[in-house]
Each structure stands twice: as structure tokens, then as C-alpha cells.
């Protein structure tokens, strides 16, 4: 089963797409899920997806869910944006080419079909996660804001 968690402006479009594809038994749109319940869904997933479109905002953003996924040792399918590559590297099997139509599907299929590759990716991601500390990341952001504010 494919779970989509969260609400947003595309929810109605997703509902229509699932119905049009007659995929109700395969796709479940859960909407808002309390943060305490998120680890359950991550643990029970074979893959975690970050299906970002190629936009100026998504190219520089770093979602918290990336760190949640890798800290729980999951293979993550993610776009080839600089911020993601800074964390997961340029050779991680979960990376898809954001400018190539349907490349995300190729990566999903590859990781779902190859259990050994998925396990290697999970172990690699868990190792990467152990190198990150939220306090360290907050310090980096604070330092960046300080630099920006001093320039004015």
C-alpha cells in the first residue's frame, strides 16, 4: 500500500488522480497525521519518498522528514538537489534526476525490486544520519542568520 501523509493544495487533485486510476486499494491519502504516529508509518515502509518538483524553493529547502527517514534507517527516494546531495551524497541509489520525466519511478522500481540494494542503502543512510545532530544544524542556521543580519 502507498500512503500519502499530509494535507496541502494538491490534495483534491491527488484524490481525483487516485480515483481516475482506480487505485483506491493501492493508495491511501491519510491527510494530517499526528507527529507521534509518523514513526509507525516510516517503520512499516519499504521506501520513503521526497517527490519534490524542480522549483527555486525546493532546490534549496531541506525537509525535516529527510532526517527522520534516514535516522530510522530507511532508503529514501530524493531529488538531485544540492541540499540533498550535501547530506546523502551524489552516488546514493535513492537519488533521481529531477529534470528527467518519470526518473523518480525508475528509482522507486529499482529499490523495490532489489532487496539487497535497498538494505545497502538503508545501512548507508543510517550511517549518514549518525553524523548529524539537530543542535549542530541549529547552530549552523543561527550563524547564517547572524552573518546575513551583520551585512545590513
Amino acid at each position: 500500500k502507498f500512503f500519502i501523509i499530509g494535507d496541502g493544495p494538491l490534495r483534491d487533485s491527488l484524490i481525483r488522480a487516485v480515483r481516475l486510476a482506480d487505485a483506491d486499494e493501492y493508495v491511501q491519502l491519510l491527510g494530517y497525521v499526528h507527529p507521534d504516529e509518523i514513526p509507525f508509518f516510516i517503520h512499516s515502509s519499504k521506501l520513503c519518498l521526497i517527490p519534490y518538483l524542480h522549483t527555486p524553493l525546493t532546490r534549496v529547502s531541506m525537509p525535516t522528514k529527510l532526517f527522520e527517514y534516514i535516522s530510522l534507517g530507511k532508503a529514501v527516494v530524493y531529488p538531485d538537489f544540492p541540499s540533498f546531495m550535501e547530506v546523502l551524497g551524489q552516488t546514493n541509489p535513492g537519488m533521481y534526476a529531477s529534470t528527467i520525466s518519470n526518473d523518480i519511478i525508475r528509482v522507486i522500481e529499482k529499490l523495490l525490486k532489489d532487496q539487497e540494494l535497498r538494505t545497502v542503502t538503508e545501512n548507508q543512510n543510517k550511517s549518514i544520519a549518525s553524523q548529524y545532530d539537530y543542535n549542530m544544524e541549529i547552530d549552523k542556521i543561527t550563524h547564517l542568520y547572524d552573518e546575513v543580519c551583520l551585512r545590513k
Side-chain angles (χ1 to χ4, degrees), residues 75-91:
V76 180
V77 177
Y78 67 95
D80 59 350
F81 298 161
S83 56
F84 287 92
M85 289 190 291
E86 182 180 331
V87 174
L88 296 173
Q90 297 182 10
T91 60

Side-chain angles (χ1 to χ4, degrees), residues 9 16 25 33 49 61 68 72 80 88 96 98 117 123 125 127 135 150:
R16 283 192 299 276
E25 69 179 279
V33 171
L49 311 179
S61 66
E68 293 170 339
L72 292 172
D80 59 350
L88 296 173
Y96 66 90
S98 60
L117 178 63
N123 292 334
N125 288 352
S127 175
N135 291 326
L150 290 175

Side-chain angles (χ1 to χ4, degrees), residues 143-152:
H143 179 71
L144 177 64
Y145 282 132
D146 287 344
E147 283 186 14
V148 169
C149 289
L150 290 175
R151 289 184 190 156
K152 290 186 174 187

Side-chain angles (χ1 to χ4, degrees), residues 19-147:
R19 289 185 182 146
L20 185 63
D22 196 26
D24 291 303
E25 69 179 279
Y26 306 107
V27 178
Q28 190 171 354
L29 300 168
L30 298 174
Y32 172 81
V33 171
H34 191 276
D36 292 343
E37 298 176 43
I38 297 293
F40 166 79
F41 289 100
I42 296 172
H43 277 294
S44 58
S45 299
K46 286 185 179 180
L47 292 176
C48 294
L49 311 179
I50 304 177
Y52 278 11
L53 296 173
H54 191 272
T55 70
L57 176 61
T58 58
R59 283 192 54 78
V60 297
S61 66
M62 178 60 64
T64 304
K65 65 183 158 190
L66 172 65
F67 294 99
E68 293 170 339
Y69 296 163
I70 65 175
S71 69
L72 292 172
K74 289 299 179 176
V76 180
V77 177
Y78 67 95
D80 59 350
F81 298 161
S83 56
F84 287 92
M85 289 190 291
E86 182 180 331
V87 174
L88 296 173
Q90 297 182 10
T91 60
N92 189 297
M95 185 172 68
Y96 66 90
S98 60
T99 57
I100 298 175
S101 180
N102 295 325
D103 194 49
I104 189 172
I105 294 169
R106 177 191 63 79
V107 174
I108 291 169
E109 288 176 343
K110 175 180 70 171
L111 287 169
L112 286 177
K113 289 178 182 176
D114 190 337
Q115 172 62 46
E116 185 177 338
L117 178 63
R118 192 167 62 247
T119 300
V120 167
T121 305
E122 290 168 348
N123 292 334
Q124 178 182 345
N125 288 352
K126 192 155 193 152
S127 175
I128 290 167
S130 71
Q131 300 169 27
Y132 283 88
D133 174 285
Y134 286 107
N135 291 326
M136 180 179 73
E137 296 303 309
I138 290 171
D139 288 345
K140 285 166 54 176
I141 292 169
T142 303
H143 179 71
L144 177 64
Y145 282 132
D146 287 344
E147 283 186 14

